[in-house]
Amino acid sequence: MLDALDKIISESGVALSDCLVFLPSRRAVRAAEKMFVEKNSGRAIILPRLVALGEGVDDLDEIQDADVFSNMERVVVLAKMLSADANIGNISTALQIARDFVRCQDYLENEGVSSQDINWESLVDEKYAEHFQSKAKLLNILTNVLPKIAGGRMTAAAKRNMDVRAWIPEIEKYPLVVVCGSTASVPATADLMVAVASSKNGRIILPGKIDGRISDFGLNTNPYNAEYKFLSRVGVAPTDVIKIDFGKSGIDFMNYAFGNDTAAYSGDKDLENCHLVCCDTESIEAAAVAEICKSALKKNKTVMVITPDAAGNQRIESAFLDYGLVADFSGAKSGASCAAARAILNLLDSWMESGSGNFDRYYTIANFDLFDTVAQIISENIDFMQPEFDIDSVESGQIWLAIKNLSEFLTRYDIKLSCADARAFIADAAATVAVRDVPNDNAKIVVLGTIEARMQTADVVILTGLNDGMFPARGYENAWLPARVADEIGLPSPDRKVSLMSLDFMNLSCCDEVYWLRSLNSGGTKTLESRFLSRVMARGGNINENAAKKILGNVLARDVVAENPLDSSAPNPIAKWGDVYVTELEKLIHNPYVFYVSHILRLKKNKDWWMGVDARVFGDLVHSVIEHARDFSAPVILAEMDRAAREALHSTNTENLMFRFWHKRFIEIAKLVQDNSELLKKSVPEIGGHVIIDGVRVCARADRVWDGGVMDIKTGDMPTKSQLQDGMMPQLPLEAYMLKSGGFNVKMADPSKTPDMVFMYLKNSKENMYWIAPEDVAGMMDAAIKKTKEVIDMFAVGNAPYEYRKSNGPKYKDFDDLARVDD
């Protein structure tokens, strides 16, 4: 297309600077600028006036300054109106209907249908389904009310169409006007092209090579349907269109394949330039794209990848990261996929799931201004929001602007939102933002959508997603109107998208090296090949399938990792213990591997966010309340435990099942605490101490210590008497030994006396105080010291391996996954 543009301008004899050229997109404008500069290298040039279709005439102030009734404002006011309908009920549901209505109205506008001039109820009468009749009533109401709210302002679609048509009077000012790369599928563009074609200075460069039977061109799915309609308007027969030949390509066979002529084809069916690669899954397809790109770069080739959807784009971007490839992903993506938008939506989702009133609190403080609310939420919560995002990035800035505009319209129309409503409106606003990265002109790989790919070229072209329903994608299905009514008022067939994408497919497939990729499965479901591929194969195209085996082999080979047998021997590092807590010694005694992971490797088991609150949370809560209590009366302890429980459960509902269960336990615990308040008052909570045993500093943080005794608060199982006598549960006996040895800041008045050992046992329905018999305490202390010396000699001195030992205690199984006990 670019070569054709250069040819037309060069042969016209008109200076570049005197030309006006219309192109399909701004990306096409950049490509044309680059082409003109490269073809005129070494000398200064003044470029033609290059215009992306849809851009206005700069010097027409009345066009540029036209007040626009923005789509966002239309959606907001429509959502408010529709929410008053009892059948709709809430504004979040109304929002979806409002967005679809605006889309329908813009579709009518673009196709030149004036919805205000139609009586929708008489058009959609009792012959049609009841839901269509209900929608017709809404159409009548909304199409008559909205213009009054707009107050003479035009919609964005009307403004764009006016901008296109505003160029028509400007045509005669230029010695040469060229429209290049457009198919005239949109009425406003078609009107401009008709005006250009009717001018003696006008030239139209149509994509493809319109050739075949007239009867085929009239079919909605034919690649040349839009071009044929345009040619009919200007009175030109397809056979009169001048062909610009730039060498051998498969376009003639493509025309045959996409036509319906049943006669035998005598031309060349060679499509050796087209390589078909069928992949098992979409992820393998993305990896195959990366593999092809990697190979092309080694040969110093440029690559253009065509993706029909945003999800495919993301998969390819991930595959490129895995392969270490740099690509230009500057094609537009939805703002809803940006990190800033996702982080806000994720936070609101979490608040809704937990029943938190955080949003309402922020919203009220911000005087119901949504933008100020979001700003304050981000200011106070950005460290906890996921995914992480740069608040000052260009893409984030576009999201903030969209939310700012939304907020202004919500205020203007006096709409207040719940957390769920805010989430819906922010998601809708973000989805309207088209975010583009800064183009990476140095990248040899560019990833584009089908429309953006028009008038682009590369050494290698990769078309992905070649499954039916994806490439081609389904056309716009107007949910507001029956198909017969849509046809009656002159709306194009939903098949128009098939027609346009088929022309894109044909043109892109004429590159020197083309790869057609599809996945055989998507989301666990078998896929159907694109009808484009079916056409080519049914017509006998000689497709090259030789490269697929090598490409897929290389992809799958990346997953083949050389066998590296597991070393199942127990770890045996050089011992550097440092301080050791009594709780760690207990792990060492029962399962040395757990001690190795937690004490030597210093690893901690993270909370499983998929798990709710459990016994550990309950135990921590009870310990914390008793530790910080100053008043040990039962009502105070009960109230404080209830408060802490509501906070831990993220619920203010006293009917919460877990809360009711805990509350019942709190009642019994509070009684026991009150009954032992004198002992608790004279003791020191959570006090640290230490003692030296065989050269190792053994530390503890005791629950309670007083002059003469130590206490361990147990919400779970309590050690048995035999475990204490055998030294297998050394925590409390070693704490008693520390107290007797002066290891705590609490000193015993009579150091010769054996300390008391007390368990405050708070297990369900078994709440009680257990005082170890004085005659047993000394023996338990000796057993704990002996067992401690034993494990020190074995591991710290003897460097015994930290083997894994099976145990019934849950705390000794925290690192079973690292120990690979099931392998």
Side-chain angles (χ1 to χ4, degrees):
M1 294 296 293
L2 290 172
D3 287 337
L5 176 60
D6 180 63
K7 176 181 173 68
I8 292 294
I9 294 178
S10 298
E11 292 180 354
S12 71
V14 177
L16 277 177
S17 57
D18 291 333
C19 299
L20 172 62
V21 180
F22 294 99
L23 298 163
S25 65
R26 290 178 181 172
R27 186 177 289 274
V29 168
R30 283 193 9 242
E33 289 174 343
K34 185 177 180 181
M35 182 267 294
F36 286 126
V37 170
E38 288 177 350
K39 286 184 177 292
N40 293 275
S41 60
R43 60 192 181 93
I45 60 168
I46 299 177
L47 292 172
R49 181 75 180 274
L50 300 172
V51 179
L53 286 166
E55 294 184 350
V57 184
D58 295 342
D59 50 359
L60 295 183
D61 293 337
E62 67 275 14
I63 300 296
Q64 296 302 309
D65 297 336
D67 196 7
V68 174
F69 188 25
S70 75
N71 286 348
M72 186 175 290
E73 183 177 358
R74 293 163 72 197
V75 167
V76 168
V77 70
L78 280 167
K80 181 176 182 179
M81 293 167 61
L82 289 166
S83 65
D85 188 323
N87 294 320
I88 296 172
N90 65 75
I91 201 163
S92 291
T93 304
L95 172 66
Q96 301 173 42
I97 300 171
R99 175 61 65 187
D100 196 51
F101 176 81
V102 166
R103 188 183 180 199
C104 174
Q105 290 294 296
D106 286 348
Y107 187 60
L108 295 171
E109 171 71 40
N110 286 332
E111 299 305 328
V113 177
S114 174
S115 57
Q116 287 179 266
D117 297 337
I118 297 175
N119 185 326
W120 295 105
E121 287 183 77
S122 62
L123 191 62
V124 185
D125 56 21
E126 64 277 357
K127 296 194 298 293
Y128 298 99
E130 187 176 337
H131 72 93
F132 276 127
Q133 294 181 54
S134 299
K135 289 175 181 176
K137 291 178 183 177
L138 272 177
L139 278 169
N140 263 353
I141 295 170
L142 298 178
T143 52
N144 284 291
V145 171
L146 270 184
K148 296 175 183 176
I149 297 174
R153 293 175 294 165
M154 66 176 66
T155 65
K159 170 70 163 55
R160 181 189 181 279
N161 293 332
M162 185 175 71
D163 284 345
V164 173
R165 293 187 175 101
W167 282 101
I168 294 175
E170 304 295 303
I171 290 172
E172 298 305 325
K173 298 178 182 179
Y174 292 85
L176 181 65
V177 180
V178 183
V179 179
C180 181
S182 176
T183 58
S185 58
V186 178
T189 305
D191 290 346
L192 173 62
M193 290 175 65
V194 167
V196 172
S198 303
S199 169
K200 66 180 186 303
N201 301 328
R203 304 288 186 277
I204 306 292
I205 304 176
L206 297 171
K209 179 185 177 182
I210 186 166
D211 185 28
R213 304 189 308 175
I214 298 297
S215 58
D216 288 349
F217 298 148
L219 299 174
N220 292 325
T221 55
N222 187 271
Y224 298 108
N225 179 257
E227 293 184 8
Y228 173 68
K229 290 177 179 177
F230 163 71
L231 292 173
S232 299
R233 280 187 66 182
V234 296
V236 175
T239 52
D240 293 333
V241 175
I242 300 169
K243 309 298 188 294
I244 303 178
D245 189 358
F246 285 101
K248 182 176 182 283
S249 77
I251 193 64
D252 290 324
F253 171 75
M254 288 293 184
N255 284 341
Y256 163 71
F258 283 81
N260 292 332
D261 190 350
T262 56
Y265 179 68
S266 58
D268 190 355
K269 296 184 178 181
D270 178 21
L271 293 179
E272 282 294 308
N273 64 308
C274 297
H275 307 266
L276 178 61
V277 183
C278 297
C279 310
D280 281 342
T281 64
E282 291 169 316
S283 60
I284 292 177
E285 182 183 350
V289 171
E291 183 67 34
I292 296 167
C293 291
K294 177 184 174 184
S295 176
L297 292 184
K298 286 181 179 179
K299 301 172 185 175
N300 200 30
K301 292 182 177 181
T302 56
V303 186
M304 180 164 62
V305 182
I306 311 302
T307 59
D309 71 325
N313 215 34
Q314 291 173 358
R315 285 191 294 270
I316 290 170
E317 188 170 5
S318 177
F320 281 5
L321 285 173
D322 188 36
Y323 272 73
L325 299 174
V326 176
D328 179 1
F329 281 91
S330 58
K333 64 180 179 180
S334 169
S337 66
C338 294
R342 285 161 49 211
I344 295 168
L345 298 178
N346 288 343
L347 183 62
L348 295 180
D349 283 339
S350 68
W351 285 352
M352 287 188 289
E353 288 172 8
S354 66
S356 165
N358 286 347
F359 174 80
D360 295 331
R361 177 171 58 84
Y362 282 111
Y363 196 41
T364 303
I365 293 172
N367 198 25
F368 308 107
D369 184 293
L370 183 62
F371 180 77
D372 288 349
T373 301
V374 171
Q376 194 59 34
I377 287 172
I378 293 172
S379 176
E380 295 184 15
N381 297 276
I382 192 168
D383 291 339
F384 313 105
M385 297 173 74
Q386 290 294 329
E388 295 180 358
F389 61 93
D390 180 358
I391 197 170
D392 297 318
S393 71
V394 173
E395 71 173 33
S396 295
Q398 291 177 270
I399 301 299
W400 309 148
L401 181 59
I403 296 175
K404 178 68 174 174
N405 291 337
L406 169 64
S407 181
E408 290 174 357
F409 295 134
L410 291 170
T411 301
R412 181 181 301 177
Y413 293 103
D414 192 27
I415 298 173
K416 293 183 174 61
L417 307 174
S418 67
C419 186
D421 296 334
R423 199 252 184 239
F425 271 90
I426 292 172
D428 179 80
T432 65
V433 176
V435 176
R436 298 178 188 273
D437 293 332
V438 177
N440 183 355
D441 291 329
N442 295 321
K444 289 197 170 187
I445 306 170
V446 61
V447 182
L448 302 171
T450 51
I451 295 175
E452 293 169 317
R454 291 171 186 168
M455 293 194 64
Q456 308 300 310
T457 190
D459 299 320
V460 177
V461 170
I462 306 173
L463 289 91
T464 68
L466 283 168
N467 288 325
D468 218 45
M470 185 66 67
F471 201 146
R474 294 179 177 86
Y476 173 52
E477 299 288 347
N478 194 323
W480 289 80
L481 301 172
R484 188 186 303 173
V485 171
D487 185 61
E488 185 179 337
I489 64 176
L491 291 178
S493 164
D495 286 332
R496 179 172 67 176
K497 196 160 192 176
V498 176
S499 167
L500 298 175
M501 291 188 78
S502 64
L503 185 58
D504 290 331
F505 174 85
M506 290 166 52
N507 289 334
L508 290 164
S509 296
C510 288
C511 177
D512 289 340
E513 188 176 352
V514 181
Y515 292 87
W516 294 336
L517 272 67
R518 64 174 294 253
S519 56
L520 302 175
N521 299 279
S522 176
T525 304
K526 292 288 185 182
T527 61
L528 185 65
E529 67 191 16
S530 167
R531 64 188 70 181
F532 299 159
L533 292 179
S534 300
R535 279 264 179 181
V536 171
M537 290 186 282
R539 291 294 205 168
N542 296 321
I543 304 169
N544 189 333
E545 298 186 54
N546 299 327
K549 184 176 181 180
K550 181 179 179 181
I551 293 167
L552 294 176
N554 289 342
V555 168
L556 297 177
R558 291 175 64 88
D559 293 330
V560 178
V561 180
E563 184 178 349
N564 186 11
L566 289 174
D567 181 359
S568 57
S569 60
N572 188 19
I574 297 173
K576 289 184 179 180
W577 282 10
D579 291 351
V580 178
Y581 275 80
V582 290
T583 50
E584 296 291 319
L585 283 173
E586 180 188 321
K587 295 174 184 177
L588 180 61
I589 292 167
H590 289 270
N591 188 348
Y593 185 81
V594 175
F595 176 86
Y596 163 73
V597 175
S598 62
H599 184 77
I600 296 179
L601 296 185
R602 304 292 183 186
L603 296 182
K604 293 182 179 179
K605 184 176 181 180
N606 286 332
K607 178 182 178 182
D608 185 348
W609 293 105
W610 291 103
M611 296 294 291
V613 293
D614 56 14
R616 295 188 189 188
V617 176
F618 178 86
D620 291 343
L621 181 157
V622 170
H623 273 80
S624 178
V625 171
I626 297 175
E627 174 193 347
H628 294 97
R630 295 294 177 267
D631 184 341
F632 293 99
S633 62
V636 172
I637 294 296
L638 178 62
E640 187 58 25
M641 286 187 178
D642 281 348
R643 182 202 63 75
R646 284 191 289 269
E647 186 176 299
L649 295 168
H650 304 290
S651 174
T652 57
N653 183 8
T654 56
E655 296 303 311
N656 180 290
L657 187 62
M658 183 67 76
F659 178 84
R660 292 175 65 181
F661 174 72
W662 282 8
H663 178 73
K664 183 181 176 183
R665 291 187 64 183
F666 293 157
I667 293 173
E668 300 304 318
I669 292 171
K671 290 178 183 176
L672 185 65
V673 169
Q674 177 175 275
D675 292 345
N676 292 275
S677 59
E678 292 304 317
L679 177 60
L680 292 170
K681 287 177 182 178
K682 74 176 186 178
S683 63
V684 179
E686 292 295 320
I687 182 172
H690 71 274
V691 68
I692 305 297
I693 300 177
D694 268 9
V696 175
R697 180 181 162 105
V698 178
C699 303
R701 180 162 290 278
D703 287 338
R704 314 290 296 198
V705 176
W706 64 93
D707 178 7
V710 291
M711 179 191 294
D712 189 11
I713 300 173
K714 290 288 187 185
T715 54
D717 290 328
M718 191 176 74
T720 64
K721 183 176 181 180
S722 63
Q723 286 177 322
L724 293 169
Q725 288 175 331
D726 294 340
M728 296 299 289
M729 300 296 284
Q731 179 181 346
L732 194 60
L734 286 179
E735 289 174 358
Y737 176 62
M738 287 180 197
L739 178 62
K740 183 175 175 62
S741 304
F744 289 109
N745 283 334
V746 175
K747 304 302 179 183
M748 289 185 67
D750 184 1
S752 64
K753 181 183 176 183
T754 301
D756 292 325
M757 283 179 22
V758 184
F759 287 100
M760 178 178 271
Y761 191 42
L762 304 179
K763 193 166 184 179
N764 190 25
S765 302
K766 298 179 180 179
E767 294 84 357
N768 209 340
M769 300 291 286
Y770 288 90
W771 293 74
I772 304 300
E775 63 270 17
D776 292 331
V777 173
M780 292 176 180
M781 288 169 52
D782 290 340
I785 295 168
K786 180 180 178 182
K787 179 61 71 173
T788 300
K789 290 181 177 181
E790 182 182 310
V791 294
I792 290 174
D793 290 344
M794 182 182 296
F795 295 100
V797 179
N799 286 323
Y802 296 90
E803 63 183 355
Y804 178 87
R805 295 176 189 166
K806 288 187 177 181
S807 174
N808 293 326
K811 58 186 173 182
Y812 309 131
K813 296 182 178 181
D814 277 349
F815 302 106
D816 279 10
D817 53 343
L818 286 179
R820 307 179 80 99
V821 295
D822 295 326
D823 288 353

